[in-house]
Amino acid sequence: MTPKNNPQLPPITDIEVDHSLRATTEEWFEYPITVHPHHTDYAGVVWHGNYIPWLEEARIEYLRQIGIDYVDLVNAGCELPVVEINLRYHQPLKMGQSAIVKTRLNQIQKVRMHWDYEIVSFTSQQLYLSGRVTLVGIDTQKGKILRQLPPILQEALIKMS
């Protein structure tokens, strides 16, 4: 018998899967960064956790460029929290270096958005980081996963694909 305060997830066969909204972009959005002293450790190497804000900044700027101001999404009651992140560190960035954060929407599955990333040198000869981040749409008032992304976001994401 399962206690009432410990709900169980439904069996996998009861989960509805919707593949109706899919989008992918081939073009990378490029966002320049510069490594400042506060991004680094005592050896002048970027601390591994400092790469994540650059990914977020690039994604937010990309959305802004296609007409989605993140603050408007939040004000409309939608948040897009990270639910999964996978990163591979190839080479360290060091204090004083500049690089490009490249991002593109890889796939949309209902309310899940999978974004790919690379951080490369300006000449693209050096790969510093690669990864994927998965976001999910949340209704901030209900605190629950949305059934579908807001139409304005869906339309903008599909236009960019």
Side-chain angles (χ1 to χ4, degrees), residues 4 15 30 32 39 49 61 70 73 76 81 84 93 97 118-119 121 130 132 135 143 147 150 152 155:
K4 288 184 180 180
I15 296 175
E30 297 185 352
H39 296 130
E61 183 59 23
Y70 198 85
L73 276 179
E84 185 175 348
L93 274 165
Q97 286 184 301
E118 290 182 354
I119 299 181
S121 63
S130 60
R132 175 175 280 183
L135 310 174
R147 292 189 179 268
I152 189 169
E155 292 166 12

Side-chain angles (χ1 to χ4, degrees), residues 31-40 44 46 50-51 53-54 57 93-101 119-120 122 128:
Y31 180 78
I33 58 166
T34 300
V35 178
H36 296 289
H38 67 275
H39 296 130
T40 66
V46 172
N50 281 332
Y51 290 87
W54 288 328
E57 290 170 18
L93 274 165
K94 297 182 180 170
M95 185 175 2
Q97 286 184 301
S98 294
I100 300 286
V101 178
I119 299 181
V120 298
F122 274 92
Y128 299 107

Side-chain angles (χ1 to χ4, degrees), residues 48-64:
H48 69 276
N50 281 332
Y51 290 87
I52 296 170
W54 288 328
L55 305 182
E56 179 90 6
E57 290 170 18
R59 185 176 63 250
I60 296 299
E61 183 59 23
Y62 190 7
L63 289 172
R64 192 184 72 73

Side-chain angles (χ1 to χ4, degrees), residues 96-141:
Q97 286 184 301
S98 294
I100 300 286
V101 178
K102 294 170 46 175
T103 187
R104 67 181 174 194
L105 182 63
N106 179 291
Q107 187 178 46
I108 300 172
Q109 293 175 306
K110 202 168 181 182
V111 295
R112 288 185 179 275
M113 292 173 280
H114 305 283
W115 293 81
D116 289 336
Y117 292 90
E118 290 182 354
I119 299 181
V120 298
S121 63
F122 274 92
T123 62
S124 295
Q125 297 296 313
Q126 183 64 54
L127 177 63
Y128 299 107
L129 178 134
S130 60
R132 175 175 280 183
V133 173
T134 301
L135 310 174
V136 66
I138 298 287
D139 181 324
T140 53
Q141 291 184 331

Side-chain angles (χ1 to χ4, degrees), residues 8-77:
Q8 291 188 358
L9 293 173
I12 198 79
T13 55
D14 291 347
I15 296 175
E16 180 182 326
V17 179
D18 177 19
H19 301 286
S20 60
L21 177 61
R22 291 186 178 271
T24 185
T25 55
E26 297 299 322
E27 297 291 321
W28 291 92
F29 175 78
E30 297 185 352
Y31 180 78
I33 58 166
T34 300
V35 178
H36 296 289
H38 67 275
H39 296 130
T40 66
D41 59 18
Y42 292 110
V45 174
V46 172
W47 176 68
H48 69 276
N50 281 332
Y51 290 87
I52 296 170
W54 288 328
L55 305 182
E56 179 90 6
E57 290 170 18
R59 185 176 63 250
I60 296 299
E61 183 59 23
Y62 190 7
L63 289 172
R64 192 184 72 73
Q65 293 284 327
I66 64 166
I68 302 297
D69 194 335
Y70 198 85
V71 78
D72 291 340
L73 276 179
V74 171
N75 289 338

